[in-house]
Amino acid sequence: MSRKQPIYEGKAKVLYEGTEPGTIIQYFKDDATAFNAQKRGTIAGKGVLNNMITEFVMTRLAEIGIPTHFIRRINMREQLCKKCEIVPIEVVVRNIVAGSMAKRLGLEEGERLPRPIVEFYYKDDALGDPLVSDEHILALGWASAEELEEIVGMTLRVNDYLCGLMRGIGIKLVDFKLEFGRVWEGDFMHLVLADEFSPDNCRLWDAVTNEKMDKDRFRRDLGGVEEAYQEVARRLGVLPESADIESLNKDK
Ligand code: TMP
């Protein structure tokens, strides 16, 4: 089967033109990178699991009224989404100190924050996605004040909802990263939650043992990476049937 040219190839996904106007297809790869692609590898079956997990999370969020770009899953590795113009900001929410926050501020990983912290990073690989403030975003025109207010509001709703959802399956939602996009309908624009939600872009710790169940296992060479992604999918009820596990390593 001939395949359309990719519109964009990222580190973990390839975007293709969609089958309907105003749509794109997200293809989830097994490739994994860390530290701004200085570390590279593959996590067998990751693309399939991240496709399933993202479908599940985006569907649940749409049910509580969060507008998302997700339309439907097409197959094991692909999903159809609304085409949008990505706001060049990575929005990170932290509930528990970990990762770059622990390092930057000399804090112990694992300290629970008295309230969630929202951080912004400017999406620019060449600059290593630098931490920026709302002042930078507004002054440099990456988003308007209205957009930023809506983005923060949606992000905090997503955080509250997903903290509860994860707690229900014995997982602490430590932190995560979201991206938003602009969808145009005639002269009107609205914001949608875009990209993905998967163990690639969040930290998930087992509620009892604090064991890491996310990409930190790859970043920090902790082993059991595939098993961790599978366990998250299993607890969410989206791990493909055992007969399909074989196909996790195939193309679709
Ligand atoms: P950090 O502690 O490294 O800043 O990461 C915070 C959260 O953001 C963590 O859940 C992982 C996610 N993240 C991404 O999704 N993409 C990135 O490029 C980085 C650096 C972090």
Side-chain angles (χ1 to χ4, degrees):
M1 195 176 83
S2 73
R3 149 75 79 207
K4 282 187 189 136
Q5 286 302 307
I7 310 171
Y8 176 78
E9 175 147 14
K11 287 175 272 199
K13 295 190 291 297
V14 188
L15 305 185
Y16 297 95
E17 201 68 54
T19 42
E20 297 150 33
T23 64
I24 53 129
I25 291 167
Q26 292 201 122
Y27 175 93
F28 289 75
K29 301 191 281 186
D30 285 350
D31 298 350
T33 64
F35 316 118
N36 206 13
Q38 290 175 59
K39 179 182 171 110
R40 287 170 185 276
T42 55
I43 301 172
K46 171 174 84 81
V48 172
L49 299 172
N50 284 359
N51 188 22
M52 303 289 171
I53 294 168
T54 296
E55 173 192 24
F56 179 83
V57 171
M58 292 288 180
T59 305
R60 296 289 84 74
L61 291 175
E63 284 166 2
I64 62 154
I66 303 285
T68 83
H69 75 155
F70 178 81
I71 300 172
R72 65 174 176 276
R73 185 166 61 78
I74 300 169
N75 57 41
M76 295 290 270
R77 284 187 185 267
E78 294 178 319
Q79 51 183 241
L80 189 70
C81 298
K82 288 183 192 161
K83 189 181 264 183
C84 60
E85 173 192 298
I86 292 288
V87 177
I89 306 294
E90 299 197 346
V91 185
V92 167
V93 186
R94 301 180 188 275
N95 299 302
I96 296 174
V97 174
S100 70
M101 181 180 180
K103 206 168 165 193
R104 185 180 303 114
L105 303 178
L107 300 170
E108 196 73 41
E109 275 204 328
E111 188 183 322
R112 182 165 280 281
L113 294 161
R115 53 177 215 141
I117 292 179
V118 179
E119 293 175 345
F120 307 110
Y121 294 82
Y122 178 47
K123 255 175 87 69
D124 187 317
D125 282 341
L127 298 175
D129 297 344
L131 178 67
V132 294
S133 77
D134 52 351
E135 297 275 335
H136 297 94
I137 296 170
L138 300 178
L140 296 168
W142 297 326
S144 70
E146 295 72 31
E147 286 175 331
L148 205 52
E149 193 182 324
E150 206 181 324
I151 285 173
V152 172
M154 277 199 258
T155 299
L156 291 173
R157 281 195 71 204
V158 169
N159 184 48
D160 278 352
Y161 179 80
L162 292 183
C163 275
L165 186 142
M166 292 297 176
R167 267 291 165 161
I169 53 169
I171 292 175
K172 290 183 199 169
L173 182 57
V174 173
D175 55 32
F176 61 90
K177 185 261 296 183
L178 299 180
E179 295 189 23
F180 292 87
R182 301 181 180 101
V183 175
W184 295 91
E185 270 157 34
D187 288 341
F188 294 93
M189 184 277 291
H190 67 270
L191 288 170
V192 291
L193 177 61
D195 194 48
E196 65 176 279
F197 189 98
S198 74
D200 268 11
N201 39 50
C202 62
R203 288 194 172 90
L204 304 171
W205 294 356
D206 182 272
V208 176
T209 64
N210 277 336
E211 194 178 339
K212 298 186 195 326
M213 304 171 69
D214 56 66
K215 199 169 131 187
D216 269 351
R217 301 204 72 84
F218 168 78
R219 294 190 189 96
R220 304 180 187 190
D221 296 320
L222 299 176
V225 187
E226 284 87 358
E227 292 78 3
Y229 279 68
Q230 284 178 23
E231 178 61 12
V232 173
R234 190 190 66 75
R235 290 198 198 180
L236 288 171
V238 298
L239 181 67
E241 303 264 308
S242 56
D244 288 332
I245 295 274
E246 275 293 295
S247 67
L248 293 182
N249 299 326
K250 300 213 183 89
D251 204 33
K252 266 186 203 165

